[in-house]
Amino acid sequence: MQTTLPSDSPPARKTYRQGDLRRALLDAGMALAREGGPAAITLREATRRAGVAPNAAYRHFASQQALLQSVRAAALQGVAESMENALADLPTNLSAADHARASVRAVGTGYLRFAQAEPGLFRTAFAVSDKLIQATPEVPTAGPGGRNPYELLCDAVDLLVASGVMPAARRPGAEILAWSAVHGLAMLVVDGPLAAPVGPHFALFGQRVLDMVEKGL
Amino acid sequence: MQTTLPSDSPPARKTYRQGDLRRALLDAGMALAREGGPAAITLREATRRAGVAPNAAYRHFASQQALLQSVRAAALQGVAESMENALADLPTNLSAADHARASVRAVGTGYLRFAQAEPGLFRTAFAVSDKLIQATPEVPTAGPGGRNPYELLCDAVDLLVASGVMPAARRPGAEILAWSAVHGLAMLVVDGPLAAPVGPHFALFGQRVLDMVEKGL
DNA sequence: TGTACATCAGTGAACGCGCGTTCACTGATGTAC
DNA sequence: TGTACATCAGTGAACGCGCGTTCACTGATGTAC
C-alpha cells in the first residue's frame, strides 16, 4: 500500500516518474496517427490525452518534430514485425528456390497487411519528409528480429540470387522494383483513389501484384 | 490609352473583372502546390499572392477545399497531358502488338515524367482525400485529348488485349497492377525514403519498373 | 530511523502565429433609357 | 451621346481556433547525512 500500484494505470497515476510520460505521449501520438495520419500528430493533443499540461511534453521530446519521428520509427517497427510474422508462417519443407520466392512474397504480404490493418500508421511511416530530417539515424526502426523493413526485403531478394532463381546481374536495385509495386498498391488503396473500388479486394490484388513482381523480376 | 492595357499584368491591374481573379487564385494555388504540396494550398496565401483581400476568394471558391479540389483537378490534367505527349512521340510504323506494348510504356513514362518534373503537383493530384470529397465529379481532370489519366491507362492496356499480347482473361484489373508499380516508384522517389539514393537514376528505374510490368502482366 | 535538502517532472499563464470564415460596406463597371 | 442606376467584385475589420513554444514556478521524489 505504501508503494504506487503497478496496474490501474489511468486513475491511479499521480505523477509520471521515470519515463512513463514519454511512453504515454508516444502511445497518444500513435493513436493520433492511427486516427488521422501524420498531420494529426500534435503535441497539444498528445498531452491532452495523457492528462498533462501542454508544455510537459518538452521534458521528453525536444519538439513536435521529435515526437513525429518517434511515432514514425514505431510505425516502421510495426511494418518490420508484420513482415517477420509473415516470414515465420512459411512452410519449412520448401526447396531453396521455392523458399526464396515465398520469402519475397511473405515480405510483400506482411507489408500489405500492415498497410491494411493500420492505414494511419502506414501513412505516417512513409510520410513526406517535409524537407527535414531525411536520415533520422537515432531512432531504431527494426522489428523484433533486429532488421528493418528495407533490410528484410533485401534479405529476401538476396535469397532469389543465392538459390539461382535470379541472375546476379539483375540483382542490383531489384528490391526497388518489388518495393515500388507493393508500395504503390498500398498507397492507392489505403488513402488514394482506389480505396473505394479496390479496397474490398485488397488481398486479392496484393497477390496479383506479387505475381507480377515474381514474374517480372 | 483610355482602355486598360492587356499586358503589364502585375502593376496595370486595377480590379479583377470577369473571372480573372479566379484564374489568378488558381494559378497561385498551383504555385503553392508546386512549392509545398497540398498542405501549402491556403486561401490566405493565394489571395496574398494575387494582391487581394483574403475574403475576396469567396467570390470564386466556396471554401479552401474547393480551391484545393480545383488545383488537384488541374494537376490531374497535367498528368493526362504528360501521358498524351509521351503517346504522341510513339513511332507510327509499329506492329499492333508492339504499338500496344509501347503505349503502355508511354503512359507510364508520361506519368513518371510528370512526377519528376512537378513533384508538388503530383503529390497534390494523389493526396489523401481527407475523408472528404471522394468523387469530386464536377471538376474536369482530362487532358487536351479528353481522356483522364486513368482512362488513358485503360486504353493502353486494352490495346494489349486487342493485339493479342495479353489474354482477355487477365485483363480485368490489370491496369491496377501497372498503376501500382509506377505509382509506387514515383511516391518513393518523389517524396519518400528513396529520394536520395534513387532520385538521380529516376528515369533508369522507371524503365526497369516498366520492364517488370511488361513481363509480369 | 529520522530529518534536511537538491533535483527535476509537471504546472499555470502567456506569447505570437496563420489559418478559415463572416459581416456590413463601397465604388467601379456595364446597362437601360 | 449623355445620364441615372443596379449589380456585384473586392474591401476592411474582426471573430475564434488550435497550434508550437517559452517563462518562472512548485512540490513530490529520491538521496545524503
Side-chain angles (χ1 to χ4, degrees):
Chain A
M1 269 304 187
Q2 65 269 32
T3 58
T4 57
L5 303 170
S7 54
D8 282 346
S9 314
R13 171 193 58 79
K14 282 199 93 115
T15 182
Y16 282 105
R17 279 271 153 180
Q18 45 200 355
D20 287 351
L21 179 53
R22 183 187 170 86
R23 182 75 245 171
L25 290 173
L26 189 54
D27 289 346
M30 293 189 70
L32 290 170
R34 258 184 268 263
E35 295 163 23
I41 301 175
T42 266
L43 277 186
R44 288 195 94 105
E45 181 61 23
T47 52
R48 214 173 286 134
R49 295 196 177 196
V52 119
N55 50 358
Y58 288 89
R59 295 284 165 196
H60 302 278
F61 296 94
S63 66
Q64 185 263 359
Q65 273 288 323
L67 174 62
L68 198 161
Q69 291 304 331
S70 294
V71 174
R72 165 135 74 194
L76 281 166
Q77 288 179 22
V79 174
E81 188 176 354
S82 181
M83 287 175 165
E84 290 179 13
N85 289 342
L87 284 168
D89 286 346
L90 251 43
T92 55
N93 56 347
L94 297 175
S95 71
D98 283 348
H99 179 255
R101 275 187 278 256
S103 292
V104 172
R105 295 188 82 93
V107 164
T109 301
Y111 193 89
L112 291 170
R113 276 190 197 144
F114 185 85
Q116 174 159 251
E118 297 283 10
L121 288 179
F122 179 80
R123 283 168 50 203
T124 304
F126 299 105
V128 53
S129 43
D130 289 348
K131 277 90 188 173
L132 287 180
I133 313 96
Q134 182 72 6
T136 65
E138 334 80 2
V139 285
T141 60
R147 312 280 289 162
N148 68 34
Y150 184 72
E151 291 166 346
L152 288 167
L153 170 60
C154 285
D155 291 352
V157 179
D158 283 343
L159 289 181
L160 289 179
V161 178
S163 65
V165 174
M166 172 188 280
R170 289 241 291 277
R171 175 64 188 82
E175 79 277 6
I176 309 266
L177 308 186
W179 190 3
S180 291
V182 170
H183 184 72
L185 179 67
M187 292 299 281
L188 289 171
V189 174
V190 154
D191 65 21
L194 295 185
V198 178
H201 316 100
F202 188 50
L204 169 66
F205 275 95
Q207 290 309 307
R208 289 185 65 185
V209 163
L210 290 172
D211 288 341
M212 176 179 75
V213 169
E214 195 171 317
K215 269 193 282 185
L217 273 192
Chain B
M1 268 305 188
Q2 65 270 30
T3 59
T4 56
L5 303 169
S7 53
D8 282 345
S9 313
R13 171 194 57 78
K14 282 199 93 119
T15 182
Y16 282 105
R17 279 271 153 181
Q18 45 200 355
D20 288 351
L21 179 53
R22 182 187 171 86
R23 182 75 244 171
L25 290 172
L26 189 54
D27 288 345
M30 294 189 70
L32 290 170
R34 257 184 268 262
E35 295 164 23
I41 301 175
T42 266
L43 277 186
R44 289 194 94 106
E45 181 61 23
T47 53
R48 215 172 285 134
R49 295 196 177 196
V52 120
N55 50 359
Y58 288 88
R59 295 283 164 196
H60 302 279
F61 297 94
S63 66
Q64 184 262 359
Q65 273 288 323
L67 174 61
L68 197 162
Q69 292 303 333
S70 294
V71 174
R72 166 135 73 192
L76 282 166
Q77 289 178 24
V79 174
E81 188 176 353
S82 181
M83 288 175 166
E84 290 179 13
N85 290 342
L87 284 168
D89 285 346
L90 252 42
T92 55
N93 55 346
L94 298 175
S95 70
D98 283 348
H99 179 255
R101 275 187 278 255
S103 292
V104 172
R105 294 189 82 94
V107 164
T109 300
Y111 193 89
L112 291 171
R113 276 190 195 143
F114 185 84
Q116 174 158 252
E118 296 283 8
L121 289 179
F122 179 80
R123 284 167 51 203
T124 304
F126 299 104
V128 53
S129 43
D130 289 347
K131 277 91 189 174
L132 286 180
I133 312 96
Q134 182 72 7
T136 64
E138 333 81 3
V139 285
T141 60
R147 312 282 287 163
N148 67 35
Y150 183 73
E151 292 166 345
L152 288 167
L153 170 60
C154 285
D155 291 351
V157 180
D158 283 344
L159 289 180
L160 289 179
V161 178
S163 65
V165 175
M166 171 188 281
R170 290 242 290 278
R171 174 63 189 82
E175 78 278 6
I176 309 267
L177 308 185
W179 190 3
S180 292
V182 171
H183 185 71
L185 180 67
M187 292 298 282
L188 289 171
V189 174
V190 155
D191 65 22
L194 296 185
V198 178
H201 316 100
F202 189 49
L204 168 67
F205 275 95
Q207 290 309 307
R208 288 185 65 185
V209 163
L210 291 171
D211 288 341
M212 176 179 76
V213 169
E214 195 170 316
K215 270 194 280 184
L217 273 191

